[in-house]
Amino acid sequence: MNVGIDQISFYVPQMYLDMIDLAQARNVDPNKYLIGIGQEKMAINPQSQDIITLGANAAEKILTAQDKEQIDLVIVGTESSIDESKASAVILHRLLGIQPYARAIEVKEACYAGTAALQMAVNHVRLHPESKALVIATDIARYGLNSGGEPTQGAGAVAMLITKEPRILVIEEKTLALTKDVYDFWRPTNQKYPLVDGPLSNSTYINAFSDVFTAYNQKYQQSLTDYKALLFHIPYTKMGRKALNHLLENVDEAIAKEFIDNYELSIRYSRQIGNLYTGSLYLGLISYLDHVATLKPEDTIGLFSYGSGMVGEFFQAHVVEGYQKHLHTTQNQETLNKRHRLTFAEYETCLNEHLDPSIDQVFTDETRFSIEKVENHIRYYKK
Ligand code: COA
């Protein structure tokens, strides 16, 4: 029995900062951001959008009434949790109208959590083939004004419906994870922003990919040329490219070119959005599927997931015949094109605002799902 992604979609806030505006304000050569970091635009969320509404706006696009009756597992992967105790999945379960007899949990391990959620959901459906599982990877990636990580911020969510005999992508059972206790990026519970050792986070990412990719191929007796494309966690688009360049150092030029061309297809959306943390690998997957010329079911796609701290995982997948009919390519492009470009002053205002759940307040937001008000430490959502 095949199990995998039957439906997949993303949602990003409808505001962005142009990286040239950031470069000018920070007195930096724009090419550092456009080429050195590889980002053109950075999604910024208003206070009325949090990880719940981003996740709900992503998931609502792909769920039918029948799906909502069949889903019995909702897992949210996030590192921007709004509560130390209550899982965001419980609120999403209600907002999305999923039948009551379901498990709803939130999982954490930096940007890897989306993959932890996906693998748990896939295993759940393998064991219970009549079930469907909803996976939501949702985050707000903020490092703060004038911080080292400022050009690598972003926000958004990816939602995936996991079923047997999926219509888009089969996730194979072959997988390998790698865990190492490293302080490259972490956010103690009293910190508004993460603490980051940028160079260490880059080198840990590259070493983790190199290690787990080699070990995976040894374990399953595969090699580079068995893959059609390699997709990466994309904190900023240059990061995956660095890991790929490292792998391709001594590889035949024509073979290397094909991997690089495919990587370029996978970063088109991320260049316009920035970091989604847990959703980044899956935004890359959507971008790749939306832009690549037809894939065949026998084409193997390798996926590298990475979460600082750190856990990495490499696994593989292949498309299902007719998968293109189930993508939302035009809608995805429209979501990006209709966004509002912030002035630098508006961006600074947004970054200085922090939703304080201890202060009662009311919001106005036309988006399908948004925060309506905060009262007595509870966020009330508009449906
Ligand atoms: N034109 C073209 N490229 C330029 C440039 C210019 N004018 N100026 C600088 N660059 C290049 C640098 O050579 C460098 O390229 P390289 O990485 O290939 O060597 C790149 O731009 C970044 O420059 P650097 O000086 O390293 O940037 P930085 O000190 O501002 O740090 C990050 C960049 C990503 C480490 C930082 O933004 C960060 O900490 N981000 C958060 C953590 C993160 O995302 N980690 C990723 C792993 S999860």
Side-chain angles (χ1 to χ4, degrees), residues 299-340:
D299 294 331
T300 299
I301 302 169
L303 297 103
F304 173 63
S305 178
Y306 175 79
S308 295
M310 56 111 329
V311 177
E313 181 162 338
F314 189 82
F315 59 105
Q316 65 185 47
H318 56 85
V319 295
V320 177
E321 195 76 58
Y323 71 95
Q324 298 100 324
K325 291 198 293 279
H326 305 286
L327 300 176
H328 308 279
T329 312
T330 312
Q331 204 186 349
N332 291 339
Q333 206 54 62
E334 279 167 13
T335 302
L336 297 185
N337 291 346
K338 66 174 203 256
R339 292 180 299 167
H340 164 70

Side-chain angles (χ1 to χ4, degrees), residues 11-262:
Y11 181 79
V12 292
Q14 291 301 288
M15 312 191 305
Y16 72 89
L17 179 70
D18 193 289
M19 296 304 280
I20 295 177
D21 294 341
L22 179 63
Q24 276 162 358
R26 298 290 176 240
N27 210 11
V28 166
D29 178 352
N31 281 338
K32 173 172 174 182
Y33 297 160
L34 300 175
I35 300 166
I37 300 280
Q39 292 300 137
E40 287 168 38
K41 293 174 183 166
M42 192 161 79
I44 303 293
N45 68 303
Q47 278 203 82
S48 52
Q49 291 288 324
D50 64 5
I51 57 158
I52 307 278
T53 63
L54 295 173
N57 284 315
E60 181 67 5
K61 292 192 218 172
I62 56 169
L63 300 182
T64 64
Q66 195 190 7
D67 293 332
K68 293 176 189 187
E69 285 306 311
Q70 288 176 289
I71 291 170
D72 63 1
L73 176 65
V74 182
I75 316 184
V76 171
T78 187
E79 54 181 307
S80 329
S81 191
I82 60 164
D83 197 297
E84 300 274 15
S85 176
K86 187 180 170 85
S88 51
V90 173
I91 306 167
L92 278 157
H93 169 274
R94 174 179 60 80
L95 286 179
L96 294 167
I98 289 163
Q99 64 82 25
Y101 300 100
R103 280 192 191 121
I105 55 166
E106 185 175 304
V107 292
K108 174 175 72 180
E109 173 21 49
C111 303
Y112 168 72
T115 300
L118 173 69
Q119 293 292 7
M120 275 193 262
V122 166
N123 286 335
H124 174 76
V125 175
R126 281 188 188 125
L127 203 57
H128 307 284
E130 298 316 313
S131 293
K132 291 183 177 178
L134 176 64
V135 170
I136 298 178
T138 178
D139 271 300
I140 294 167
R142 280 200 182 175
Y143 296 87
L145 295 168
N146 266 310
S147 62
E150 188 178 29
T152 61
Q153 300 176 113
V158 173
M160 296 178 265
L161 181 66
I162 309 304
T163 68
K164 71 173 178 186
E165 304 308 336
R167 289 171 292 174
I168 296 180
L169 200 75
V170 174
I171 305 289
E172 293 193 18
E173 284 184 37
K174 291 188 265 186
T175 181
L176 189 67
L178 169 76
T179 296
K180 278 185 186 166
D181 187 7
V182 182
Y183 276 87
D184 55 339
F185 173 114
W186 69 110
R187 182 153 76 92
T189 43
N190 63 339
Q191 295 284 325
K192 202 183 323 173
Y193 297 121
L195 306 173
V196 195
D197 180 336
L200 180 65
S201 76
N202 286 348
S203 60
T204 310
Y205 175 116
I206 293 170
N207 293 338
F209 169 65
S210 200
D211 184 339
V212 79
F213 185 66
T214 307
Y216 182 94
N217 287 324
Q218 275 167 1
K219 182 172 178 184
Y220 297 111
Q221 311 210 318
Q222 294 186 183
S223 65
L224 181 65
T225 47
D226 288 323
Y227 303 95
K228 164 84 179 165
L230 294 175
L231 308 184
F232 291 79
H233 165 55
I234 313 168
Y236 55 98
T237 71
K238 187 74 175 291
M239 184 69 251
R241 182 66 195 266
K242 279 170 186 260
L244 186 59
N245 285 351
H246 183 71
L247 174 74
L248 299 176
E249 257 164 25
N250 298 311
V251 170
D252 172 82
E253 223 174 281
I255 295 173
K257 185 178 179 313
E258 205 180 324
F259 281 105
I260 289 166
D261 289 348
N262 280 314

